């Protein structure tokens, strides 16, 4: 028998966003819109230069182009919805729309975790085994590595989204978030979610734990190799080739650990402030990190800076 308070999927969901803080909505609308434009411009330029500049047709920049495309996809799956929620109080979203948005966000996040570990392996081979680099990181190797990252993210997103959206939902289906974030959606389920919890724990181990360990071990070997280089100039040059990737990894995983590792307040009076803080931290993870990636790579990588300058000069010359 169907429960009387069970909500039909056809009714969709309501996204609260920052509706409880209307004064912040206009400010954050402008701020997030500007950040989104920077994300599109910065990552779009990176994709363009990695495609057009023959000097950047290497495994490292192939992965970087994938990372930039991924960041555009990730933010595009959520930012327009977030901006809309700032303009419309209690923004509604259809059941299918929620499922698509959840799938895209989960797929892009999982793909980025794997892709960053592939990029760490590329740096490990380049620094620790430079003579074998052209053989180990040939096109027949790095293209399937990138494709495998995308495939892994899509598969886990399909599993998690299917498990979440098959659940019955109760009440008025109000999601206390900007988007259809999977944990916020699971709170609305009026059925046993133990399978969902177990599957997410397994996914977190595979897509967070394993890549973090892989990246950490890679950089232990990288650091040991760099320290054995006799000249200071050689050590500086070797470290500069992986400093941008290391910075991106620290920002990406540091934000995740801060989001889910910080202690929860037990003070009922501070629940509203904590709820607001959690939303803003989630917003930082979803918007600021993709915005920083092209900035980090363009500021800390002379090859990218040179390619951008060449692209700009060619544009002026053609005009």
């Amino acid at each position: 028998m169907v429960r009387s308070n069970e909500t039909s999927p056809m009714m969709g969901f309501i996204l609260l966003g920052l509706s409880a803080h209307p004064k912040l909505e206009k400010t954050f609308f402008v701020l997030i819109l500007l950040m989104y434009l920077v994300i599109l411009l910065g990552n779009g330029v990176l994709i363009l230069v990695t495609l057009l500049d023959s000097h950047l047709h290497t495994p490292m920049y192939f992965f970087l182009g994938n990372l930039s495309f991924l960041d555009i996809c990730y933010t595009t799956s959520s930012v327009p919805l977030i901006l809309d929620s700032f303009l419309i109080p209690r923004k509604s979203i259809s059941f299918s729309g929620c499922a698509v948005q959840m799938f895209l966000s989960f797929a892009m996040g999982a793909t980025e975790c794997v892709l960053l570990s592939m990029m760490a392996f590329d740096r490990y081979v380049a620094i620790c085994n430079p003579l074998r680099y052209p053989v180990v990181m040939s096109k027949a190797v790095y293209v399937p590595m990138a494709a495998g990252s995308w495939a892994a993210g899509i598969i886990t997103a399909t599993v998690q989204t299917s498990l979440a959206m098959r659940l019955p939902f109760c009440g008025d289906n109000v999601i206390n978030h900007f988007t259809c974030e999977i944990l916020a959606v699971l709170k609305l389920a009026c059925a046993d979610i133990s399978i969902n919890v177990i599957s997410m724990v397994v996914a977190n181990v595979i897509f967070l734990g394993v890549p973090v360990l892989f990246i950490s071990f890679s950089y232990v070997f990288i650091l040991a190799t760099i320290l054995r280089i006799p000249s200071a100039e050689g050590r500086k040059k070797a470290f500069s080739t992986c400093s941008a990737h290391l910075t991106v990894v620290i920002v990406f995983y540091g934000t995740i650990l801060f989001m889910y590792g910080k202690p929860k307040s037990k003070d009922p009076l501070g629940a509203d402030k904590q709820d607001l803080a959690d939303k803003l931290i989630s917003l930082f993870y979803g918007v600021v990190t993709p915005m920083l990636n092209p900035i980090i790579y363009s500021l800390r990588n002379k090859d990218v800076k040179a390619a951008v300058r060449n692209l700009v000069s060619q544009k002026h010359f053609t005009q």
Side-chain angles (χ1 to χ4, degrees):
M1 183 179 294
V2 180
R3 301 183 191 184
S4 59
N5 63 342
E6 186 175 314
T7 308
S8 169
M10 298 300 293
M11 295 182 64
F13 298 93
I14 295 174
L15 303 171
L16 284 185
L18 288 177
S19 57
H21 307 275
K23 292 183 179 180
L24 295 176
E25 289 185 316
K26 291 182 180 179
T27 302
F28 276 97
F29 176 84
V30 176
L31 187 62
I32 300 303
L33 178 60
L34 291 175
M35 287 180 173
Y36 183 51
L37 294 175
V38 171
I39 289 168
L40 294 179
L41 178 63
N43 286 288
V45 169
L46 271 182
I47 293 171
L48 200 59
V49 296
T50 55
L51 289 174
L52 298 180
D53 195 309
S54 59
H55 296 95
L56 301 185
H57 291 174
T58 63
M60 182 175 76
Y61 295 110
F62 177 77
F63 287 132
L64 178 57
N66 274 263
L67 182 65
S68 295
F69 180 68
L70 187 151
D71 283 337
I72 289 176
C73 293
Y74 179 77
T75 51
T76 301
S77 72
S78 58
V79 170
L81 191 62
I82 293 171
L83 292 174
D84 201 21
S85 71
F86 289 150
L87 299 176
I88 304 173
R90 296 173 67 86
K91 165 70 179 175
S92 62
I93 182 172
S94 67
F95 187 85
S96 58
C98 185
V100 170
Q101 195 276 318
M102 181 190 295
F103 168 81
L104 290 174
S105 294
F106 209 102
M108 298 304 107
T111 301
E112 183 157 357
C113 290
V114 181
L115 191 62
L116 288 174
S117 66
M118 296 297 101
M119 295 172 77
F121 178 74
D122 171 73
R123 292 299 84 208
Y124 162 77
V125 177
I127 294 174
C128 299
N129 296 284
L131 296 180
R132 297 188 60 202
Y133 183 77
V135 177
V136 176
M137 294 302 296
S138 64
K139 190 172 184 179
V141 174
Y142 68 77
V143 172
M145 286 171 65
S149 301
W150 285 93
I154 290 171
I155 290 171
T156 190
T158 302
V159 172
Q160 299 300 331
T161 304
S162 300
L163 288 174
M165 303 312 282
R166 70 175 177 78
L167 294 168
F169 298 99
C170 303
D172 53 4
N173 281 11
V174 176
I175 299 175
N176 189 20
H177 210 275
F178 298 108
T179 61
C180 290
E181 200 267 340
I182 190 166
L183 294 178
V185 172
L186 290 178
K187 290 179 180 179
L188 305 179
C190 51
D192 181 26
I193 61 170
S194 56
I195 294 178
N196 302 78
V197 173
I198 293 171
S199 66
M200 287 196 66
V201 170
V202 172
N204 286 338
V205 170
I206 295 173
F207 290 93
L208 288 177
V210 173
V212 166
L213 287 175
F214 186 85
I215 292 169
S216 299
F217 279 116
S218 297
Y219 274 101
V220 167
F221 287 111
I222 288 172
L223 184 60
T225 302
I226 291 175
L227 292 176
R228 288 198 297 266
I229 298 175
S231 67
E233 184 64 28
R235 289 194 296 271
K236 182 180 178 182
K237 183 178 180 180
F239 185 73
S240 67
T241 64
C242 59
S243 60
H245 173 258
L246 184 58
T247 304
V248 168
V249 166
I250 292 172
V251 171
F252 180 77
Y253 284 106
T255 307
I256 293 177
L257 292 174
F258 182 75
M259 280 173 62
Y260 297 107
K262 66 186 181 65
K264 300 294 183 180
S265 173
K266 296 182 179 180
D267 181 11
L269 298 176
D272 185 59
K273 290 183 179 179
Q274 181 173 309
D275 176 64
L276 176 61
D278 289 344
K279 288 181 180 180
L280 295 182
I281 292 170
S282 175
L283 201 59
F284 172 86
Y285 168 71
V287 181
V288 177
T289 303
M291 182 186 72
L292 290 178
N293 287 352
I295 296 174
I296 292 169
Y297 270 99
S298 61
L299 289 178
R300 303 185 68 88
N301 191 299
K302 62 180 182 180
D303 292 332
V304 173
K305 286 191 285 188
V308 172
R309 284 196 297 267
N310 289 337
L311 183 66
V312 173
S313 63
Q314 287 176 9
K315 184 178 179 181
H316 283 303
F317 180 77
T318 55
Q319 289 177 347

